[in-house]
Amino acid sequence: VIGGGFAGASVARELRRLNNALAVSLVEANATYTACPLSNMVIGGHRQITQQQFNYAALGADGINVIHQPAVNVDPERRQVTLSNTRKLHYDKLILAPGIDLDWQALQGYDKTAAERMPHAWKAGMQTTLLRDQLRGMRKGGLVVMSVPKSPYRCPPGPYERASLIAGYLKQTNPRAKVLILDSKDSFSKKPLFMSAWQSLYGDIIEWQGESDGATVTAVNADNRSVSTDFETLQADVANIIPPQKAGKIAQLAGVTDRSGWCPIEPVSFSSTLQPDIHVIGDAAIANAMPKSAFAANAQAKLCALQVTRLLNGETPVSGKLINTCYSLVAPDYGISVAGVYQPREKIWAEIDGAGGVSPADASLETRALEATYAQRWFENLTTQVFA
Ligand code: FAD
């Protein structure tokens, strides 16, 4: 398994749970994993970054061979993975779960250096605390500009949760400041719920503009923190630029990405449609209607482990259904959610109509508070299952 995030760590554990005679190696670049879900609460000042961090000791105790080295190449013909220390690993089945890479070519002016001044905070860790600290240091009455890419990207509702928690922080500490969301699309996950919650909780602190308003960001300049659309150039005090994304680079090196930059899969077994004996799960995979979420990554991992175990036993994969739920915190005590159920249909992961839904528009504040509790419990349950 390459990648020890929600997808890769889950699949490694599930493989050993299903068949403890399997030799499972997990190749993960970092010794500490910093989780993205709830990282917007770190930015809003409600959690510490250390509460987002996990290690791999429990996976080692499960009998998984955890190797903390970046994988630098995959040779599908020889069925070999090369690590950065030149060591080679042979596989019968390879599961790729490398998550995302930010597409540094996609937005004019936005590269790794620019991200030091205009953080994306779309991979949790230093970037998360950088954005938090920039908000803390912002002048009174300042302007926070957020740029949101077109779909698909990691965590569809994540930018709007972030805008909410930033607004909550500003309301307490810097009430004349504003958050302007420049979005490359007109619709987004749970839009009516977010919009009405913003109105009631944050008044006019958050302003959202979509593609039809000409809000697609076309260039940025890190030197003066300016953000440009086709129509205007805005001066930001803090700029959170979430750029377009693609599958983690090792997927491209393995030859499992298509022109979109993501990995096409056969939905029942998650096997790559481009290379034999390689499966792709989590954010890197094209799972069609399933969003790129930690919930989905973990669910895909369990099903993929079952299918790989069956294939190794000479059995055929069995079709399964998967669930996803994405909670978003509009405030620490105000949660909303969207849930969906998915199944393979005509070579894609399709949503089953009527099986999911979103939080009711007219829910009471007690219900919103309860959903906020569910969000935090979900994170505790998931991270316990994956890392403890
Ligand atoms: P990752 O978690 O990114 O893991 C990939 C791992 O692979 C990394 O540890 C990386 O180091 C490793 N890796 C990559 N390449 C290599 C290599 N070549 N060699 C070795 N290791 C490698 N999801 C939810 O379900 N609920 C939420 O509330 C939620 N909130 C979010 C909020 C924010 C702000 C963001 C940004 C995301 C949020 N998500 C949420 C989405 C969630 O974080 C991702 O969907 C999830 O992390 C995907 O898991 P993954 O395992 O595919 O990728």
Side-chain angles (χ1 to χ4, degrees):
V1 180
I2 300 181
F6 285 108
S10 302
V11 81
R13 289 195 106 169
E14 187 69 4
L15 283 166
R16 289 282 302 170
R17 202 182 67 78
L18 291 170
N19 180 355
N20 65 12
L22 289 179
V24 180
S25 292
L26 176 67
V27 178
E28 163 56 50
N30 302 306
T32 301
Y33 178 71
T34 307
C36 288
L38 297 189
S39 66
N40 288 329
M41 290 279 276
V42 176
I43 294 167
H46 307 287
R47 278 172 76 84
Q48 300 298 318
I49 195 75
T50 47
Q51 293 175 275
Q52 301 295 117
Q53 293 177 326
F54 303 90
N55 67 42
Y56 295 90
L59 279 80
D62 278 358
I64 297 162
N65 177 24
V66 181
I67 303 169
H68 288 302
Q69 280 282 323
V72 294
N73 203 11
V74 173
D75 182 337
E77 260 169 43
R78 291 208 178 97
R79 287 192 286 173
Q80 227 170 39
V81 173
T82 308
L83 306 182
S84 65
N85 61 2
T86 73
R87 190 176 152 200
K88 293 194 190 315
L89 301 173
H90 175 82
Y91 62 81
D92 295 304
K93 295 280 179 198
L94 176 64
I95 302 174
L96 282 176
I100 59 158
D101 266 357
L102 303 163
D103 187 346
W104 300 114
Q105 313 297 324
L107 180 59
Q108 192 186 323
Y110 199 65
D111 57 16
K112 280 187 188 163
T113 313
E116 296 300 314
R117 276 180 63 78
M118 302 171 117
H120 50 80
W122 223 240
K123 288 190 175 195
M126 300 280 282
Q127 279 276 314
T128 313
T129 49
L130 179 63
L131 179 57
R132 177 198 64 192
D133 295 346
Q134 287 191 356
L135 288 167
R136 287 186 182 170
M138 188 173 76
R139 73 176 171 91
K140 293 291 170 216
L143 175 68
V144 181
V145 176
M146 289 181 64
S147 150
V148 184
K150 279 202 191 315
S151 302
Y153 59 89
R154 157 176 285 182
C155 195
Y160 314 99
E161 175 184 79
R162 176 172 291 171
S164 310
L165 293 170
I166 291 177
Y169 171 76
L170 296 176
K171 189 177 169 182
Q172 299 295 323
T173 59
N174 190 350
R176 284 185 301 109
K178 297 260 179 286
V179 182
L180 173 63
I181 308 171
L182 297 176
D183 207 328
S184 310
K185 49 196 187 311
D186 282 329
S187 182
F188 59 86
S189 175
K190 297 175 271 195
K191 183 178 177 188
L193 290 170
F194 273 112
M195 291 287 204
S196 97
W198 288 346
Q199 197 69 59
S200 63
L201 296 180
Y202 304 124
D204 61 359
I205 296 182
I206 301 179
E207 184 186 346
W208 175 84
Q209 295 178 9
E211 185 183 11
S212 311
D213 306 309
T216 303
V217 171
T218 50
V220 300
N221 183 340
D223 293 337
N224 60 5
R225 285 208 181 86
S226 67
V227 179
S228 301
T229 66
D230 279 342
F231 299 97
E232 58 180 344
T233 294
L234 290 156
Q235 197 60 52
D237 294 287
V238 171
N240 172 210
I241 306 298
I242 305 168
Q245 296 147 36
K246 54 188 182 174
K249 186 174 176 199
I250 192 69
Q252 188 197 331
L253 296 172
V256 296
T257 54
D258 68 12
R259 285 173 58 194
S260 71
W262 303 102
C263 307
I265 52 165
E266 188 283 304
V268 172
S269 65
F270 298 92
S271 56
S272 166
T273 59
L274 300 175
Q275 299 291 347
D277 298 311
I278 301 183
H279 299 247
V280 189
I281 54 172
D283 285 358
I286 300 176
N288 319 102
M290 283 195 95
K292 297 188 186 302
S293 75
F295 194 120
N298 170 260
Q300 291 170 7
K302 290 177 189 160
L303 187 55
C304 179
L306 175 70
Q307 314 294 25
V308 167
T309 309
R310 289 181 68 87
L311 287 167
L312 288 169
N313 284 341
E315 297 161 343
T316 46
V318 282
S319 187
K321 294 190 181 73
L322 292 178
I323 299 174
N324 177 68
T325 306
C326 280
Y327 294 101
S328 297
L329 294 168
V330 187
D333 59 354
Y334 191 116
I336 54 178
S337 63
V338 55
V341 186
Y342 306 85
Q343 68 183 0
R345 195 191 311 136
E346 289 163 16
K347 302 203 170 154
I348 64 164
W349 275 101
E351 184 160 8
I352 300 176
D353 288 341
V358 295
S359 307
D362 56 356
S364 64
L365 286 177
E366 287 73 28
T367 302
R368 302 294 191 220
L370 206 52
E371 285 223 74
T373 310
Y374 294 160
Q376 311 219 23
R377 294 291 174 270
W378 164 78
F379 182 80
E380 285 162 22
N381 286 336
L382 180 70
T383 52
T384 301
Q385 193 191 104
V386 179
F387 294 106

